[in-house]
């Protein structure tokens, strides 16, 4: 079987996630990388956007979740995974990396964040 994916790479957001009051007031810059397992073989033949997962719709879903402030990146990431799974039931896996650039922790680093890897979605039973 062939594995196929829809990707969003290095999508930048300015958002208001964080535990510290300053983070919630002025915000910070974040980067999202998302890989969604989705069968695109029909679209490969038809050249019709209706036969694939539209990455613009996927972006809008991520943007809506990034617009909702949270204390923890884990909470934001969990909401994104849940929203993708709910909106696109044919998704078979989700790999999400959410990074806060230049986090306020006194370290010289490019970022810190969370990764979530969910597999075996789309293999659902009504039993």
């Amino acid at each position: 079987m062939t594995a196929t994916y829809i990707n969003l790479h290095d999508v930048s957001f300015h958002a208001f996630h964080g535990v510290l009051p300053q983070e919630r007031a002025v915000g910070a810059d974040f980067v999202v990388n998302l890989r969604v397992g989705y069968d695109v073989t029909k679209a490969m033949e038809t050249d019709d956007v209706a036969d694939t997962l539209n990455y613009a719709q996927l972006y809008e879903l991520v943007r809506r979740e990034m617009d909702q402030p949270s204390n923890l990146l884990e909470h934001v990431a969990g909401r994104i995974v849940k929203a993708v799974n709910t909106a696109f039931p044919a998704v078979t896996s989700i790999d999400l990396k959410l990074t806060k650039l230049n986090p306020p922790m006194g370290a010289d680093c490019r970022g810190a964040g969370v990764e979530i890897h969910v597999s075996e979605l789309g293999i659902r039973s009504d039993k």
Side-chain angles (χ1 to χ4, degrees), residues 2-45:
T2 300
T4 57
Y5 303 92
I6 302 294
N7 296 287
L8 297 178
H9 291 286
D10 295 334
V11 182
S12 297
F13 294 94
H14 187 82
F16 299 87
H17 311 303
V19 176
L20 301 175
Q22 177 185 351
E23 295 175 289
R24 299 299 285 268
V26 299
D29 294 323
F30 298 84
V31 174
V32 172
N33 286 281
L34 180 63
R35 184 175 90 155
V36 176
Y38 191 85
D39 184 357
V40 301
T41 54
K42 186 174 181 184
M44 291 166 59
E45 296 295 325

Side-chain angles (χ1 to χ4, degrees), residues 38 40-54:
Y38 191 85
V40 301
T41 54
K42 186 174 181 184
M44 291 166 59
E45 296 295 325
T46 66
D47 196 28
D48 187 342
V49 71
D51 293 330
T52 192
L53 193 158
N54 184 322

Side-chain angles (χ1 to χ4, degrees), residues 87-108:
F88 305 108
V91 163
T92 58
S93 65
I94 300 170
D95 296 305
L96 171 68
K97 183 177 180 182
L98 173 57
T99 304
K100 178 183 279 190
L101 302 179
N102 195 26
M105 60 183 191
D108 183 15

Side-chain angles (χ1 to χ4, degrees), residues 35 81 93-97 114-121:
R35 184 175 90 155
V81 167
S93 65
I94 300 170
D95 296 305
L96 171 68
K97 183 177 180 182
V114 297
E115 289 188 40
I116 297 178
H117 304 280
V118 182
S119 60
E120 298 185 25
L121 294 170

